[in-house]
Each structure stands twice: as structure tokens, then as C-alpha cells.
Amino acid sequence: MKKVSNKKDNKKVEENSTLIILEKNNEQQPLQDVVDAQRKGLFTLYRKTQKMSNIIMAIAVTCFVASFIMIVQKNKALTIIGWCLIAICFVGMVLFYILTKNKYPDASKKYFKIFWKSTNEYLFFDNKFTDCQIDTDKKYVISDVLADRVYKDVIDSASRNIVFGNYNGQPFTFGELAYYKAGERKRSKEVIFVGRRLEMMNNLHFQDRYIINIKGSNPTDLPTDIEDLTLLKDENGLTIYGPSNGNIEKDLGKGIFKSLERIKCVEPLLNLNIVFWPGHTIAYMSYDDSIVAIPFDKAIDLNSYATLKGDIKDMFELIAGK
């Protein structure tokens, strides 16, 4: 991990840098203004590139057809012209590819960095959060996250936008994650979790683990690695699994149920799984497309991000300090 520098000049989104340092600026531009300015530029570039590509393709097809007609005429002059047209079309298509192949991908990477920086500065704009940063090259190691023991039969994962920082002095990580299992068709994959993963240390002491599940109106991404656990509670959308001899309030704290009552699974939050291990706590927060997808042809959903900000606040208050 790169060290966080205190120099103001380093607090920029460098095009080739993998490290983005989140700033606390009381004069921040509105989130939608920052994101949409970049999004619209990228979408315009995409439309322009697609339009040019279609025009080049149409011209190439027309030239190839015309060249073929000339060549089959068995006229030496027409044959030469036909082959020249084919050569010109081929060279033109190669040049177009060379000139445009990196333009859109590079613009996309720049947009992603600005999007992640802007949204995370909005989400973590609180004095309780310090030293927050994103390493855009960082990915979750599948063996590490599988050790959480929330989902089983996972064959692949994808992750991005992982934030490292401190909450009231306690280190945390918070990132986007998706899990996949084998699909019914050969070599196909099915999503079993997509959303955000939050991890913090704790000072709890007990045997094994507890999994707390809070369901939304349409339950999805429910925990599956529960065969070795006992169902301890299941009512009003709250399900708790733990060791057979477990004592929830003794192991997780007397105020755990009161704290859980404040957590509501309201869209875009679809489901919440929290796994407590001795020493660390992990929350799996399932979200709909307004959060898991980076906006491209539509504006960012500010209401969904306001809800996500509230969810983050609730989760940190629940698991921090235990």
C-alpha cells in the first residue's frame, strides 16, 4: 500500500495513478454536477465513435461491392481501380482502428476514477472517517473473502472500488464485490451476491461465528454457508444463525437486538448479511442497479446514493467498537 502523503499536490486524480486520496472539502461541488459533467462527455464520445464506426463500415462495404463489380468486368483498368479501392479501404480501416482503439477505453478509465472519487467523498464526508483512499488496482483475494463463510459453492468473484480508511480510529475496508456460482448451462455463471462488502476488526470472544440476515421486501442473496450453524432466531425479517450453544446477547453484546431494530432493508438495499467472527466483522450489503452499476446513459440516482450514505452510517454504528 502506498503511503498517504500530506502534500496538497498529491491529492489529485492522476491519470496513471492507482491511488485516489479522498478529500474533505466543505466547498464540494454537488455530486450530480461532478459526475454528470464527466458522464455526458464520455457518452458523447461513445456516440461519436459509434457513429464514425458505422459511417466507415458503410463506406467500406460500398467500396468493396463496387470493387468486386469492377474486378469481375475483366477490364484491366477497372480491375486496377477495384484493387486500389480495396487497398485504400483496408488502410483506412486500419488507421481508424489505430487512432480510436484507446480513446474510448482511456476516457472510460478516467470517468471511473472521477466517479469513484466523487461518490466516495460524498459517502464518507464525516469527521469520523479519516485517511480514506482508494487503490484502483486493488482487488479482493477470493480465498480471503471466501473465509468469511457466508456463501458456498463460489467459483469466481469480481471486485473494484475498494476504500481503505479509519472510522473513529478503527481501520476498515469497504468495496464493491460480486460472487458467482456455476450455472445450469456448461461454463455459465450465476450471480449469488452483488453489492458492497464492509470489514472491520472487533474485540469479541466466542466460538465459531454468527450470521445475521436482514431481508428486504424481495429476499435475495441470502446466506448459503450455514449448514454447520444453528437457526437461533427467525422473525419479522430477521434471521440469526450461530453455534448450537451460542448466546447472542452474551457474545455480541446486550444491545444487539435494539441496534438491529434500527437497520431497515429499504431499496436500493435489497438484503443484508452480517457475519461476526472473533476478531473481525464483515457486512454483505446487496444493492440494486442504481448502486452496483456505474451510470452511463442516465444521470446518477441521487436518492439511491443518499440511502446508501445512510446505510453506511447505520452499519458503522452497529459494528464499530465491538
Side-chain angles (χ1 to χ4, degrees):
M1 177 72 58
K2 298 179 182 179
K3 292 181 69 176
V4 179
S5 172
N6 292 322
K7 293 182 180 180
K8 189 174 182 181
D9 289 345
N10 290 340
K11 293 186 176 182
K12 297 179 181 179
V13 183
E14 298 294 344
E15 190 169 343
N16 297 318
S17 175
T18 63
L19 187 65
I20 300 174
I21 299 176
L22 305 185
E23 303 174 72
K24 285 189 172 65
N25 182 357
N26 291 324
E27 298 179 354
Q28 286 178 315
Q29 286 182 271
L31 178 60
Q32 189 166 22
D33 291 351
V34 178
V35 172
D36 271 6
Q38 296 296 322
R39 180 190 64 81
K40 289 176 180 177
L42 180 66
F43 187 61
T44 299
L45 175 62
Y46 169 78
R47 294 285 295 272
K48 183 178 179 180
T49 303
Q50 286 294 101
K51 186 176 180 180
M52 286 298 297
S53 179
N54 292 337
I55 291 173
I56 294 293
M57 185 59 67
I59 292 173
V61 170
T62 302
C63 289
F64 276 120
V65 171
S67 299
F68 177 77
I69 293 173
M70 291 179 185
I71 292 170
V72 297
Q73 296 300 315
K74 295 182 179 181
N75 180 292
K76 187 175 181 180
L78 291 177
T79 300
I80 293 172
I81 293 172
W83 283 110
C84 287
L85 273 177
I86 291 175
I88 292 170
C89 285
F90 179 77
V91 171
M93 292 177 69
V94 170
L95 286 175
F96 177 77
Y97 171 75
I98 292 172
L99 293 173
T100 61
K101 68 173 182 176
N102 291 324
K103 196 171 184 179
Y104 180 70
D106 289 346
S108 298
K109 290 177 183 177
K110 183 179 178 182
Y111 168 57
F112 293 161
K113 287 185 178 183
I114 291 173
F115 178 81
W116 290 334
K117 184 177 191 294
S118 302
T119 52
N120 283 312
E121 284 180 344
Y122 166 75
L123 295 173
F124 297 103
F125 187 73
D126 188 306
N127 290 330
K128 294 179 180 180
F129 295 105
T130 56
D131 300 326
C132 294
Q133 58 188 23
I134 314 165
D135 188 334
T136 57
D137 284 346
K138 184 70 176 178
K139 306 290 182 185
Y140 285 121
V141 179
I142 189 169
S143 59
D144 290 345
V145 292
L146 286 179
D148 296 342
R149 295 287 308 277
V150 177
Y151 297 98
K152 64 178 183 178
D153 301 326
V154 177
I155 63 168
D156 197 8
S157 69
S159 57
R160 65 185 183 189
N161 186 23
I162 302 176
V163 178
F164 301 82
N166 295 292
Y167 175 81
N168 281 339
Q170 292 181 270
F172 74 88
T173 61
F174 182 80
E176 298 183 52
L177 176 66
Y179 277 147
Y180 303 90
K181 68 176 183 179
E184 295 181 359
R185 293 182 299 173
K186 189 176 181 181
R187 296 183 180 178
S188 65
K189 296 187 292 187
E190 294 179 7
V191 177
I192 56 175
F193 169 79
V194 60
R196 303 293 177 104
R197 177 185 182 271
L198 168 64
E199 180 174 11
M200 291 189 77
M201 298 297 103
N202 67 43
N203 296 311
L204 300 174
H205 302 279
F206 52 83
Q207 295 296 318
D208 210 334
R209 73 194 188 281
Y210 286 88
I211 295 179
I212 296 177
N213 169 241
I214 302 176
K215 302 175 184 65
S217 56
N218 296 303
T220 185
D221 297 357
L222 301 177
T224 56
D225 194 353
I226 54 176
E227 293 178 354
D228 61 322
L229 300 177
T230 301
L231 179 61
L232 303 176
K233 185 179 181 68
D234 188 10
E235 59 182 46
N236 299 323
L238 173 65
T239 305
I240 301 179
Y241 303 92
S244 57
N245 60 345
N247 185 317
I248 300 171
E249 289 190 293
K250 178 184 176 182
D251 293 338
L252 303 183
K254 291 184 178 180
I256 184 65
F257 290 116
K258 196 168 185 179
S259 298
L260 289 171
E261 287 176 1
R262 297 198 297 267
I263 306 295
K264 304 296 181 185
C265 254
V266 179
E267 291 185 358
L269 181 61
L270 306 176
N271 184 73
L272 175 62
N273 297 318
I274 310 170
V275 56
F276 290 91
W277 285 92
H280 66 288
T281 306
I282 308 98
Y284 281 82
M285 308 162 72
S286 301
Y287 283 97
D288 65 20
D289 284 347
S290 64
I291 296 297
V292 301
I294 295 179
F296 179 57
D297 57 340
K298 295 180 181 178
I300 185 173
D301 190 327
L302 294 179
N303 290 331
S304 290
Y305 272 84
T307 303
L308 173 59
K309 186 180 179 77
D311 294 339
I312 291 172
K313 179 177 180 292
D314 291 340
M315 287 309 306
F316 275 100
E317 290 179 351
L318 173 66
I319 68 177
K322 287 194 174 295

